[in-house]
Amino acid sequence: MNTHQMQRLRESCAKNGPLCVGLDTDPSYLPPEVLSRFATPADAVFAYNSEIINNLGDAAGCCKVQIAYYEAMGLAGLAAYAKTLALLREKNIPIISDVKRGDIADTAKAYARAHFSGDFETDIITVNPYMGFDTLEPFTAWCAESGKGIFVLLRTSNKGMNDLENSALAAGGVLLDKVGAELNRLASLFASQYGADCCSPVGAVVGCTEEENARALRDRYPNVFFLIPGYGAQGGQARIAATLLGKAGGTVNSSRGILCAWKKDSALDAKRSDGALTLVEVAEAAIKAAREAKADLLRAKAEL
Amino acid sequence: MNTHQMQRLRESCAKNGPLCVGLDTDPSYLPPEVLSRFATPADAVFAYNSEIINNLGDAAGCCKVQIAYYEAMGLAGLAAYAKTLALLREKNIPIISDVKRGDIADTAKAYARAHFSGDFETDIITVNPYMGFDTLEPFTAWCAESGKGIFVLLRTSNKGMNDLENSALAAGGVLLDKVGAELNRLASLFASQYGADCCSPVGAVVGCTEEENARALRDRYPNVFFLIPGYGAQGGQARIAATLLGKAGGTVNSSRGILCAWKKDSALDAKRSDGALTLVEVAEAAIKAAREAKADLLRAKAEL
């Protein structure tokens, strides 16, 4: 195998822009008049996802599907999740499944099988490294053998990241530096397999929170592609995101800013207050918001 | 509410012994001649689980269901997972769902809904604290309002625990001490809600690996109930497990040692080599192994 899904994602972002559309589709993100037209919330969620996916065009480099919202709807929700992944695959859109799994030995192997094959097969998953680097091996084995990719949590965008990730170590530096060192080690290993023109199939989740920090992280992990949350609804800024897009690059996620764009779209004021919105109008607002986010990010990148 | 699921689990372990039967039921843990009698691997897994659950009696204090093995079988696997939880509930056996979820804000709320209500409703889940203590709040809210319980990863039993969990901090101590301090803080908070006779609804995963460490951890978190992996197939010892059972107590998980007991049961030698095992025989070997593990643990506890 000469390439892998992370490199495919990187190329898609080079072509269609750095935006990642987050399909964290909670049923409550739809207006009641749209939701009520479907037999189940899971049906409504899949219909909304489909409308977005089918009309995404070149507005984004990829989609990220947050499994928690589908798990919360039980078996019907996970069926909608599987159908969403299948549709993304059919449309040839790179998929990140935000599952943040992490466990040891045979259990981690089971998680890798769960998300790299079968009903929930995806291109790239997010992984939690807390239990140690041996817990990454079952996933990196799929990166080596099947070209799959993973994003390892490096620096998240929530306040609590100071509790553990950012703890100062006796040996110097902070805890997340140890994760980063492992990412660089893996990047070197994979460079010998895939060649230096590819980024590493093992990327990192790096939140969009502080400019100085963003610059330091970008410089320290040059071959690591970043998944960048915290832009938009979480309060991050395009300039910080753009900083993180240097070197190997990255993709900037926006979820609620896109899925809930209909709530703020002034063109929909009248219909919204009349409770007369349609699914097509709601999805059009989402695509419009995605195009605006893409333009915002490309502008910030050009101004750096 | 005057009690919660962790206290219920604690009382069940006081009555039926400290063993937790781990239903990490991979289809490969069944003999081929049994597996082939079912339409799908997921059907075989649910039938095996049912046979164990229906015959468990007082052999164990609870069951732990590891969701990874069910996710690996896709939608059919998760249907088997939901049916397993429903059967455990019907039999009034305390359930730990080993899901190790962890995420921020609304996503963590979605995970809490996913596993504390609906198709996948359980009593207690395992949680990964890596992203920070704010990520525990959506789960502890369910502990306060609905009497659910969580086990937070404190010290796992794999070699890689030294990579992050056991990192020496500039401020002294190791990283997992910070998690422990948060567990003690939560235990105090909940003592004022549930009373000091209850353990905390927020327990800890503490691997069964070193005796000295086990004693220190047991003393440091007196009101925290422990989920103890690493006994049996993972190589831990009854004596160390027994040490961890002091104070608030704990439950000692064995998965493969029970599920795969038929592979080593000398009473089954002839049938095994003839490929003539039945599901009932395989499940009987599992129950026998559970009773032996229970006796082993109770003996070690008495000898301490």
Side-chain angles (χ1 to χ4, degrees), chain A residues 13 31 58 76 97 108 119 173 181 198 212 238 244 270:
Chain A
C13 288
D58 64 356
S97 288
D119 289 340
C198 275
E212 203 165 328
L244 292 167

Side-chain angles (χ1 to χ4, degrees), chain B residues 50-295:
Chain B
S50 303
E51 200 64 29
I52 293 173
I53 293 166
N54 287 328
N55 295 288
L56 193 59
D58 64 356
C62 63
C63 287
K64 179 170 83 69
V65 193
Q66 171 50 263
I67 198 171
Y69 295 94
Y70 302 85
E71 267 182 51
M73 294 185 284
L75 291 167
L78 287 162
Y81 175 78
K83 287 198 293 178
T84 299
L85 300 183
L87 181 60
L88 286 163
R89 197 154 45 239
E90 189 190 311
K91 295 284 170 183
N92 200 28
I93 298 171
I95 320 169
I96 303 165
S97 288
D98 198 352
V99 300
K100 297 194 179 72
R101 299 305 192 245
D103 214 309
I104 63 171
D106 286 345
T107 307
K109 281 184 194 163
Y111 275 133
R113 281 202 310 281
H115 298 283
F116 288 148
S117 70
D119 289 340
F120 307 135
E121 180 172 355
T122 189
D123 301 324
I124 302 172
I125 61 169
T126 56
V127 170
N128 185 322
Y130 184 53
M131 296 173 79
F133 304 140
D134 54 345
T135 68
L136 302 181
E137 284 164 20
F139 301 108
T140 55
W142 281 80
C143 297
E145 288 154 28
S146 313
K148 296 295 187 183
I150 61 173
F151 281 111
V152 176
L153 296 178
L154 181 62
R155 187 189 196 283
T156 61
S157 53
N158 58 316
K159 208 174 155 187
M161 70 79 64
N162 285 308
D163 293 329
L164 302 176
E165 297 172 32
N166 207 29
S167 294
L169 298 180
V174 293
L175 187 74
L176 64 86
D177 297 337
K178 293 183 86 172
V179 178
E182 176 67 8
L183 295 181
N184 273 345
R185 190 187 73 81
L186 290 168
S188 300
L189 276 182
F190 281 114
S192 60
Q193 176 180 355
Y194 287 112
D197 290 344
C198 273
C199 62
S200 173
V202 180
V205 177
V206 178
C208 179
T209 46
E210 289 165 34
E211 191 164 351
E212 204 165 326
N213 203 270
R215 215 174 298 115
L217 288 166
R218 187 60 284 178
D219 289 345
R220 201 172 296 167
Y221 309 110
N223 301 314
V224 176
F225 192 83
F226 287 171
L227 169 59
I228 306 158
Y231 166 77
Q234 281 182 54
Q237 292 148 359
R239 191 182 158 83
I240 302 172
T243 303
L244 292 168
L245 292 173
K247 311 270 176 177
T251 185
V252 182
N253 183 72
S254 175
S255 301
R256 264 171 300 167
I258 291 169
L259 296 174
C260 298
W262 62 270
K263 293 186 185 178
K264 294 181 182 173
D265 190 328
S266 57
L268 298 177
D269 280 351
K271 290 203 170 178
R272 193 171 51 239
S273 57
D274 291 351
L277 287 166
T278 66
L279 180 65
V280 168
E281 288 162 339
V282 168
E284 279 171 355
I287 300 289
K288 194 167 88 176
R291 294 206 169 277
E292 286 166 4
K294 174 184 174 175

Side-chain angles (χ1 to χ4, degrees), chain A residues 3-231:
Chain A
T3 190
H4 52 70
Q5 295 293 341
M6 193 66 76
Q7 179 66 19
R8 174 175 164 245
L9 168 57
R10 187 187 183 204
E11 287 163 12
S12 178
C13 288
K15 187 171 163 229
N16 296 317
L19 183 69
C20 168
V21 170
L23 297 173
D24 306 11
T25 319
D26 194 83
S28 69
Y29 296 167
L30 280 166
E33 65 267 30
V34 170
L35 199 53
S36 66
R37 259 171 244 148
F38 293 90
T40 66
D43 287 346
V45 161
F46 178 64
Y48 189 25
N49 287 350
S50 303
E51 199 64 28
I52 293 173
I53 293 165
N54 288 327
N55 295 288
L56 194 58
D58 64 356
C62 63
C63 287
K64 178 171 84 68
V65 193
Q66 171 50 264
I67 199 171
Y69 294 93
Y70 302 84
E71 266 182 51
M73 293 185 285
L75 292 168
L78 287 163
Y81 175 78
K83 286 198 293 178
T84 299
L85 300 183
L87 182 59
L88 286 164
R89 197 153 44 240
E90 190 189 312
K91 294 285 170 184
N92 201 27
I93 297 171
I95 320 168
I96 302 165
S97 288
D98 197 354
V99 300
K100 296 192 180 72
R101 301 305 192 245
D103 214 310
I104 63 172
D106 286 346
T107 307
K109 280 184 194 164
Y111 276 133
R113 279 202 310 280
H115 299 283
F116 288 148
S117 69
D119 289 340
F120 308 134
E121 180 172 356
T122 189
D123 301 324
I124 301 172
I125 61 170
T126 56
V127 169
N128 185 321
Y130 184 53
M131 296 174 81
F133 304 140
D134 54 345
T135 68
L136 301 182
E137 285 165 20
F139 301 108
T140 54
W142 282 80
C143 297
E145 287 155 28
S146 312
K148 297 294 188 184
I150 61 174
F151 281 112
V152 176
L153 295 178
L154 181 62
R155 187 188 196 282
T156 60
S157 53
N158 58 316
K159 208 174 152 183
M161 69 79 62
N162 284 307
D163 293 330
L164 301 177
E165 296 171 32
N166 207 28
S167 294
L169 298 180
V174 292
L175 188 74
L176 65 86
D177 297 336
K178 293 182 85 172
V179 178
E182 177 67 8
L183 296 181
N184 273 346
R185 190 186 73 82
L186 290 168
S188 300
L189 275 182
F190 281 114
S192 60
Q193 177 180 354
Y194 286 114
D197 290 343
C198 275
C199 61
S200 173
V202 180
V205 178
V206 177
C208 178
T209 47
E210 290 164 34
E211 190 164 352
E212 203 165 328
N213 203 272
R215 215 173 300 116
L217 288 167
R218 188 59 285 177
D219 288 345
R220 200 172 298 165
Y221 309 110
N223 301 315
V224 177
F225 192 82
F226 287 171
L227 169 59
I228 306 158
Y231 166 78

